[in-house]
Amino acid sequence: MPTEPTEPTGTPNHGARLLHDAYVAKINAAIASGRDDLVAELAENYRQDSRRA
């Protein structure tokens, strides 16, 4: 499976990429566990956190 290129540490987008990747993992885990109720909440939390980052 191909992976997306990652930003090198210290680049302006590195923190945003880490935040994005963390939320993708959380959302995928919620879906895999049948916790569809958490997906919208996690997506909203990501939107809020990404504005602060």
Side-chain angles (χ1 to χ4, degrees):
M1 176 188 313
T3 59
E4 293 182 31
T6 58
E7 298 291 330
T9 303
T11 62
N13 292 330
H14 182 70
R17 170 56 70 184
L18 291 176
L19 181 67
H20 173 268
D21 291 349
Y23 271 98
V24 166
K26 289 178 187 181
I27 289 171
N28 286 342
I31 292 169
S33 298
R35 297 295 313 268
D36 294 341
D37 57 309
L38 291 178
V39 173
E41 181 180 341
L42 287 167
E44 179 59 29
N45 290 346
Y46 171 72
R47 281 190 283 276
Q48 292 174 5
D49 287 348
S50 66
R51 289 181 190 136
R52 288 183 237 146

